Amino acid sequence: MIVSLSQKYPYLSEDITSIMPKPTVTAACKQLAKLERKLQNSFPYNKEGIVLDDYTFSRVSPALKELRNTIIMYVDYFTHQGLESTASASGGDKHPGLTTPTSALSHPCEWFTLLDNATTVATRMPQWNNEEYDSIRKDVLRQLSDGWLRAIIATCRWLKEGQMVGHYIVAEWERSLSFHAQTSGMPNLFQPATHAFSHHMLPILNMPS
């Protein structure tokens, strides 16, 4: 109903957006899990198992594209959020490029939790025999690799302001990124993010790369 109103009365879109509750990382992860199940359930039954042919793609394409679009939407939303800076919290000038405290994320764990969940879902997307169909999965992973990089750069800035994060948490982020780079089948795609993590994030925390 809200979508219909926005489409019928475009001038209401801004007001509707302003009063709608903002998505949380927890809600986003639950929605991605729900859409992944919807994708899995859309595969036609075959006694020989899943067949990744043209017919199957035609059946699952709507659910696959919905999942792709939702992943991209959430990644774009959360990795363009700012972390509340030390200056903002104390009432001083904001760090350049950071959003105001009312719209900022409180901790990089929110970013990396979303990215970890979204990348896990994306790497489980079917890899089709037809390269044209497989572009959906590749496009999602490309967007996610960029999201990882943006989150790493912003977290480095956040840490340089004097914020703290546990070494074991950072080590977990590194393991997740490395795991996704390998399971994606396209490790070169994640190379800028892995390089930034090793050469910028870890030295700030005096952690070995």
Side-chain angles (χ1 to χ4, degrees), residues 109-155:
C109 277
E110 295 181 70
W111 268 336
F112 290 107
T113 297
L114 184 280
L115 287 166
D116 182 38
N117 276 267
T119 312
T120 297
V121 171
T123 55
R124 289 198 293 247
M125 283 181 166
Q127 299 185 61
W128 302 91
N129 300 330
N130 187 322
E131 189 173 347
E132 180 183 350
Y133 302 157
D134 210 33
S135 64
I136 294 176
R137 180 178 184 272
K138 291 178 180 177
D139 180 49
V140 173
L141 290 170
R142 190 175 298 109
Q143 300 266 3
L144 283 161
S145 66
D146 184 58
W148 278 92
L149 180 59
R150 291 201 302 267
I152 291 165
I153 292 172
T155 300

Side-chain angles (χ1 to χ4, degrees), residues 55-140:
Y55 171 71
T56 302
F57 181 79
S58 69
R59 288 283 301 274
V60 308
S61 178
L64 181 62
K65 291 177 179 177
E66 183 182 12
L67 178 58
R68 174 199 61 190
N69 294 342
T70 305
I71 289 175
I72 292 174
M73 177 189 69
Y74 282 135
V75 169
D76 184 67
Y77 176 80
F78 284 108
T79 61
H80 277 101
Q81 292 275 357
L83 288 166
E84 183 176 343
S85 67
T86 304
S88 296
S90 61
D93 294 334
K94 296 190 298 296
H95 192 291
L98 295 180
T99 61
T100 61
T102 56
S103 62
L105 296 174
S106 61
H107 198 278
C109 277
E110 295 181 70
W111 268 336
F112 290 107
T113 297
L114 184 280
L115 287 166
D116 182 38
N117 276 267
T119 312
T120 297
V121 171
T123 55
R124 289 198 293 247
M125 283 181 166
Q127 299 185 61
W128 302 91
N129 300 330
N130 187 322
E131 189 173 347
E132 180 183 350
Y133 302 157
D134 210 33
S135 64
I136 294 176
R137 180 178 184 272
K138 291 178 180 177
D139 180 49
V140 173

